[in-house]
Amino acid sequence: MIRYVLVIAALAVVVLGQGEDKRCNERGMVYPDLNVCECAECFEGDTCEEEVQDCMVTATSGSPVFFAEYWIRRELNLSIPADYRLGYYDYVTYSPNASASIPGIGHLLAPAIRELHTLYKNVQNPEEYHIVPASGCTALIAAASYARSKLMDDATVYAYGHAPYYNGYPQMTDLMPGRVTFSTSTDLDPKKVVEYNPYPANPTGELREPVYKDTEALVAFDSVYYWPSLLDIPAPLDEDLIFFSSSKFTGHAGSRFGWAMVKDGALAREMGHYVELTQQHVSVDVQYLAYTLIRDVIDRPYELFDTIRSQMITRWERVLQVFGLANDRFTVHSVPGGFYLFLECLSPEETDDCTSLFTNHGIMGIPGSTFGKSDAFTRHELVMHTATFEVYMTNLEAAVLS
């Protein structure tokens, strides 16, 4: 009997220029769906042979495209039979020590997640946590506020963010008017607070203690960047609620998979209820992909993380060298090694709109006001395709020396 096979295009990627086939000139990728060179930003042509003149580098999203340069070297079996788990599934959270009762792919995925955290020592006693899977970490932000409100008889709760905060926090809470209000006040009733504490912080990268620590507030540690690829892990996290995602862990932002580690069973159930209401359940194909990637990162200890860490250190060294040419005009507020450059313009004529200075020299960043700071600040991502990063560096030096 012939079995037709569906190949996951997101992983069955050929990065042309890293093997015998040089058609993309190390400036693009080819995927098995279209089977043509898809050029990195600032390049064009059938084989990406042409650099776009005066190209505007989009340094806004934090999409870790350069991780593909690692994954192309992996030989992973990522083919899924066309008859793989066709039906709908009831959404379930993964309870502690309950792998045997978890149906479907979750039967493998839940213990793999716990093993992953044990190996890399970023969560204390992961076997004691409930796991809430979702389509990306963004859904978990909303789920936490929803759950806190439901557990307080549908009372309005405050989602607190300390500036500079990840701009997704106010965006997600805006989807639930009347139930959740975003606030930067430090004088809120802690019983009604969900504090979103990015750890490491986005956009600055430091390990920041929560403002509402040791109160009755629910503190969510948004730890999507808490991996050895970006920092030395100082200690396993022993917190009530911790977020992770594939986007910053393996670089697979397009597949949309995230999970929350939750100590309290009632909170986990309500968060799971929100995910079920808004997503029905997480795609079984995505869960299979997540399991395969997690298994590979476990079986090849530190190989992915060491590769990414080395590249990030090199990129940051080059960026800081450029700003060293004009340190009286700029202050870098980011911890080197992370996804983002968060900087401040110091010249009076540039403090009203630091972002425009770089836009005028071919770099599109995000204004500081998006993160709760003044527009004397701006944020750039540093995880774009390597070829695009070279254009970014050229434009960055032009802006700094202008």
Side-chain angles (χ1 to χ4, degrees):
M1 180 179 68
I2 298 175
R3 269 187 117 188
Y4 294 94
V5 172
L6 171 67
V7 177
I8 300 178
L11 266 293
V13 177
V14 179
V15 181
L16 298 180
Q18 294 186 14
E20 295 181 0
D21 194 335
K22 298 286 186 178
R23 288 180 297 157
C24 285
N25 292 294
E26 301 186 13
R27 296 171 168 181
M29 306 177 189
V30 66
Y31 298 87
D33 43 17
L34 298 183
N35 198 33
V36 297
C37 283
E38 297 185 26
C39 300
E41 187 175 42
C42 297
F43 299 93
E44 61 186 6
D46 292 342
T47 60
C48 309
E49 71 277 7
E50 299 177 18
E51 182 173 343
V52 177
Q53 297 301 307
D54 300 319
C55 180
M56 177 70 68
V57 176
T58 306
T60 56
S61 70
S63 184
V65 177
F66 85 103
F67 277 57
E69 298 166 25
Y70 169 84
W71 286 111
I72 189 58
R73 301 194 303 271
R74 306 279 67 79
E75 295 181 359
L76 299 183
N77 180 15
L78 290 163
S79 297
I80 293 184
D83 58 353
Y84 177 75
R85 302 190 183 281
L86 269 64
Y88 294 117
Y89 277 77
D90 291 334
Y91 177 87
V92 294
T93 58
Y94 307 149
S95 300
N97 304 312
S99 297
S101 63
I102 298 173
I105 184 62
H107 182 78
L108 297 175
L109 181 57
I113 289 173
R114 301 186 198 282
E115 184 179 355
L116 177 74
H117 289 303
T118 299
L119 175 62
Y120 292 108
K121 298 180 176 62
N122 59 353
V123 175
Q124 184 74 37
N125 299 323
E127 70 280 358
E128 297 179 1
Y129 281 82
H130 299 261
I131 301 174
V132 180
S135 296
C137 182
T138 304
L140 297 169
I141 296 169
S145 291
Y146 171 88
R148 181 70 162 180
S149 173
K150 292 296 290 184
L151 292 173
M152 297 180 62
D153 298 323
D154 294 312
T156 298
V157 298
Y158 295 96
Y160 172 81
H162 175 72
Y165 46 73
Y166 168 51
N167 57 309
Y169 300 149
Q171 290 173 351
M172 291 308 297
T173 56
D174 285 348
L175 297 177
M176 293 181 283
R179 186 181 293 279
V180 185
T181 299
F182 182 76
S183 177
T184 58
S185 172
T186 59
D187 296 321
L188 302 170
D189 179 358
K191 294 180 181 179
K192 298 181 178 180
V193 170
V194 180
E195 177 176 356
Y196 293 99
N197 185 50
Y199 194 88
N202 174 2
T204 53
E206 80 272 20
L207 297 177
R208 194 163 61 195
E209 287 298 309
V211 171
Y212 284 91
K213 183 179 180 179
D214 299 326
T215 71
E216 294 181 84
L218 172 64
V219 178
F221 272 65
D222 186 351
S223 297
V224 294
Y225 303 99
Y226 200 62
W227 296 103
S229 51
L230 302 174
L231 77 162
D232 295 325
I233 303 296
L237 293 176
D238 184 16
E239 305 297 340
D240 292 332
L241 176 59
I242 315 170
F243 298 153
F244 295 96
S245 78
S246 291
S247 301
K248 311 308 188 291
F249 160 49
T250 63
H252 293 86
S255 65
R256 308 305 303 138
F257 182 74
W259 66 95
M261 306 294 285
V262 189
K263 282 190 175 180
D264 181 68
L267 180 66
R269 285 191 295 273
E270 289 297 348
M271 289 180 65
H273 185 226
Y274 176 87
V275 176
E276 183 179 24
L277 287 174
T278 56
Q279 302 178 2
Q280 188 163 329
H281 62 78
V282 181
S283 163
V284 292
D285 296 348
V286 167
Q287 292 187 70
Y288 176 82
L289 172 59
Y291 167 72
T292 304
L293 294 169
I294 289 171
R295 191 74 259 161
D296 187 74
V297 174
I298 292 171
D299 293 342
R300 305 173 190 262
Y302 287 93
E303 189 172 317
L304 167 65
F305 295 144
D306 287 349
T307 300
I308 300 304
R309 185 77 177 271
S310 176
Q311 293 189 50
M312 291 305 300
I313 288 173
T314 299
R315 290 189 178 196
W316 268 98
E317 287 175 347
R318 295 177 62 188
V319 167
L320 293 177
Q321 185 176 20
V322 169
F323 281 102
L325 301 174
N327 52 22
D328 57 332
R329 282 182 65 195
F330 305 97
T331 298
V332 174
H333 290 274
S334 304
V335 176
F339 268 43
Y340 307 109
L341 167 68
F342 195 61
L343 63 101
E344 180 183 8
C345 289
L346 302 178
S347 298
E349 62 271 20
E350 295 162 353
T351 54
D352 288 341
D353 191 359
C354 185
T355 301
S356 288
L357 167 66
F358 294 93
T359 303
N360 293 338
H361 290 86
I363 299 173
M364 183 183 299
I366 302 180
S369 55
T370 304
F371 308 98
K373 299 291 283 186
S374 77
D375 284 337
F377 295 81
T378 191
R379 192 195 82 170
H380 299 168
E381 67 153 290
L382 300 178
V383 291
M384 63 281 283
H385 190 285
T386 295
T388 305
F389 181 75
E390 294 302 325
V391 179
Y392 169 82
M393 288 303 304
T394 298
N395 295 355
L396 182 69
E397 184 168 352
V400 170
L401 295 179
S402 63

